[in-house]
C-alpha cells in the first residue's frame, strides 16, 4: 500500500539554524499539508499546498517558514532561522482531492537547542 | 471559528471493557468528521470518518455517529484490547471554507491493561 514518507525521522539543530524537512507524498496525490504537534499539545495545521502554490496557511506559518515542491515527488518544509519553540513533531500529509482522506507520514521530530 | 473538544485523558481500562471517548465540535459550515489514532512512536492513522449527519463511521470494532443535533462524534468500542492503547484524535474538516485542512482536538490517551 502506498504511504507518505518523511525524512529525517529525528533532527537536532541549534537555535538560529535553517532546517529542511522532507516529505514524499503518495504519487497520485494533488494536495499537500504540513502539521505540527508540540509535545503534549494538539496537532496544529501549518499550511496547505496545491498546484505549486500555498492555498492556505495558519498564523503559525510566518515568514520563517516556506514550502516547496522542488520536483515531482518531494514536498519540503523549510524553517529559515529556528527558534526553541519550533521544537515539535512535524507531520506531512497528502490527499488526492480536497475532500478526500488525508494520509499522514510518520513525522519528523525536530529539537531546537 | 471551528473547533473540536474531546475528553481529557488518560483513560485507563481493562481488556474487554467498553470504551467511549466524547468529542464535540463547533463549525460554521457542514464539516466532515474524523477519528485518527496515534500508536506509540508512530504517525497519525485514519481510524474512521463520517461526512454528513447521521452517518456512522466504523473500523476495527470502533464506531462513531455524526450527530448534528448535538454536534457530537463520540468514539465507541465494545471490547478493547491491549493493542488499542494509543492516543485518539477527533478532527474536523470544513470543506466549505478551507482547502481541506484538518482541525484536531487535544487527543485522548487510552491505556488498556491486561
Amino acid at each position: 500500500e502506498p504511504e507518505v514518507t518523511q525524512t529525517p525521522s529525528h533532527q537536532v539543530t541549534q537555535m538560529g539554524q535553517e532546517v529542511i524537512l522532507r516529505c514524499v507524498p503518495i504519487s497520485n496525490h494533488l494536495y499537500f499539508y504540513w502539521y505540527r504537534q508540540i509535545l503534549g499539545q494538539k496537532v496544529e495545521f501549518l499550511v496547505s499546498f496545491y498546484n505549486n502554490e500555498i492555498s492556505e496557511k495558519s498564523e503559525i506559518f510566518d515568514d520563517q517558514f516556506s514550502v516547496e515542491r522542488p520536483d515531482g515527488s518531494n514536498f519540503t518544509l523549510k524553517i529559515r532561522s529556528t527558534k526553541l519553540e519550533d521544537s515539535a513533531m512535524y507531520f506531512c500529509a497528502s490527499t488526492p482531492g480536497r475532500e478526500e482522506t488525508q494520509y499522514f507520514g510518520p513525522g519528523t521530530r525536530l529539537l531546537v537547542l | 471559528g471551528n473547533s473540536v473538544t474531546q475528553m481529557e485523558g488518560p483513560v485507563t481500562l481493562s481488556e474487554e471493557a467498553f470504551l467511549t471517548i466524547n468529542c464535540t465540535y463547533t463549525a460554521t459550515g457542514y464539516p466532515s468528521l474524523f477519528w485518527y489514532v496515534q500508536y506509540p512512536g508512530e504517525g497519525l492513522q485514519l481510524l474512521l470518518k463520517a461526512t454528513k449527519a447521521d452517518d456512522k463511521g466504523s473500523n476495527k470494532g470502533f464506531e462513531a455517529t455524526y450527530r448534528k443535533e448535538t454536534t457530537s462524534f463520540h468514539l465507541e468500542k465494545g471490547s478493547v484490547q491491549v493493542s488499542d492503547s494509543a492516543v485518539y484524535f477527533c478532527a474536523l474538516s470544513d470543506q466549505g471554507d478551507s482547502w481541506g485542512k484538518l482541525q484536531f482536538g487535544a487527543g485522548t490517551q487510552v491505556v488498556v491493561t491486561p
Side-chain angles (χ1 to χ4, degrees), chain A residues 33 35 56 98 101-102, chain B residues 36 46 49 99-102:
Chain A
Y33 305 84
Y35 295 83
E56 187 175 8
R98 204 174 82 177
T101 297
Q102 290 184 28
Chain B
Y36 278 83
L46 178 68
K49 69 176 184 180
W99 285 80
K101 73 180 180 192
L102 289 168

Side-chain angles (χ1 to χ4, degrees), chain B residues 21-114:
Chain B
I21 305 175
N22 290 338
C23 171
T24 57
Y25 68 90
T26 57
T28 53
Y30 300 94
S32 295
L33 300 173
F34 306 83
W35 278 99
Y36 278 83
V37 59
Q38 185 178 33
Y39 297 104
E42 298 185 17
L44 297 164
Q45 300 175 28
L46 178 68
L47 183 58
L48 53 85
K49 69 176 184 180
T51 57
K52 61 183 188 298
D54 300 325
D55 269 2
K56 179 187 282 189
S58 61
N59 186 26
K60 299 182 181 179
F62 290 89
E63 290 183 343
T65 301
Y66 189 141
R67 301 277 188 212
K68 193 164 183 288
E69 63 276 14
T70 53
T71 62
S72 65
F73 192 55
H74 304 322
L75 183 68
E76 297 181 336
K77 186 174 185 181
S79 176
V80 293
Q81 305 300 313
V82 172
S83 57
D84 293 324
S85 298
V87 181
Y88 293 81
F89 292 92
C90 185
L92 72 79
S93 178
D94 194 345
Q95 307 295 349
D97 69 352
S98 79
W99 285 80
K101 73 180 180 192
L102 289 168
Q103 292 176 266
F104 288 87
T108 302
Q109 184 179 13
V110 172
V111 178
V112 182
T113 58

